[in-house]
Amino acid sequence: AQTTSPWLFDNASGAVTLLNNDADFDEGCIKMADGGDNADQIAIFTKATPFRCAGGRQWWAETEFKADDHDLYEFFFGISEQVPTTDSLHLVAAAAGKDRVGFVKAVHSTDAVTFAASKNGGGTITTALDSAIAYDTDADILNLGIHWDGIDSIRFYGSIRATGVKRPALTLLHTYSTAAGISDDANMHLVLFHENGSAAARTTTISFIRGAIWT
């Protein structure tokens, strides 16, 4: 990304491009493609790090995207204290300097989407949602949202739909309120990251990634 952009991307092994001819995202979209080797990764993220789970400071983050091959693909969406170019960002053990809140597909050959919420060594980097959501079909479209209420709870929302189907409403998938995993002192990037599980390039096509912070 240019130095004037609020967004950066991990270009170590791939590229981020703009598309105006996607059938599902016909108002324009972003495509991330990794370099095509096993464990290659790519990410788009905010240059600034304004997100944290501080008291009296609510935030909302949301994205909508699809992957070309669900069972050769891992991802993280949410906020991260680590620089999003970190190798296997989504799998790094909870520790000081590694805080995060987000959705995780931790194993490319497993369909389950889980959640992460960690502060230093506390919390979790991948735990099942109360209401399960699975990424089990190529090119299905995931719409994911996260809300920190500014008090004591993080709520995870989501929906999934087939290509060509109208977007359904987001539904509440999980409420997390364990203090040990609520990062109130780390400044974090908003990030969408994927890692390849094959020897051919994997792609993420993104309708949007956005967030808001208010007091």
Side-chain angles (χ1 to χ4, degrees), residues 17-61:
T17 55
L18 302 179
L19 296 179
N20 64 1
N21 61 352
D22 185 86
D24 292 307
F25 308 142
D26 58 6
E27 293 181 345
C29 57
I30 301 164
K31 182 178 180 180
M32 299 194 305
D34 60 58
D37 289 329
N38 185 40
D40 272 358
Q41 62 188 50
I42 196 162
I44 185 169
F45 55 98
T46 56
K47 182 188 299 185
T49 56
F51 290 87
R52 62 182 182 273
C53 296
R57 180 186 173 92
Q58 295 189 65
W59 55 262
W60 170 259

Side-chain angles (χ1 to χ4, degrees), residues 138-184:
D138 294 347
D140 270 5
I141 299 165
L142 274 172
N143 185 192
L144 302 173
I146 309 167
H147 176 233
W148 161 245
D149 67 3
I151 304 171
D152 62 2
S153 295
I154 304 165
R155 293 178 174 86
F156 296 87
Y157 297 84
S159 70
I160 190 166
R161 70 185 192 275
T163 183
V165 175
K166 184 178 179 180
R167 180 192 301 130
L170 288 169
T171 59
L172 179 63
L173 303 175
H174 193 89
T175 300
Y176 181 86
S177 55
T178 303
I182 293 177
S183 180
D184 57 0

Side-chain angles (χ1 to χ4, degrees), residues 83-97:
V83 176
T85 54
T86 302
D87 288 347
S88 298
L89 166 79
H90 58 316
L91 303 179
V92 175

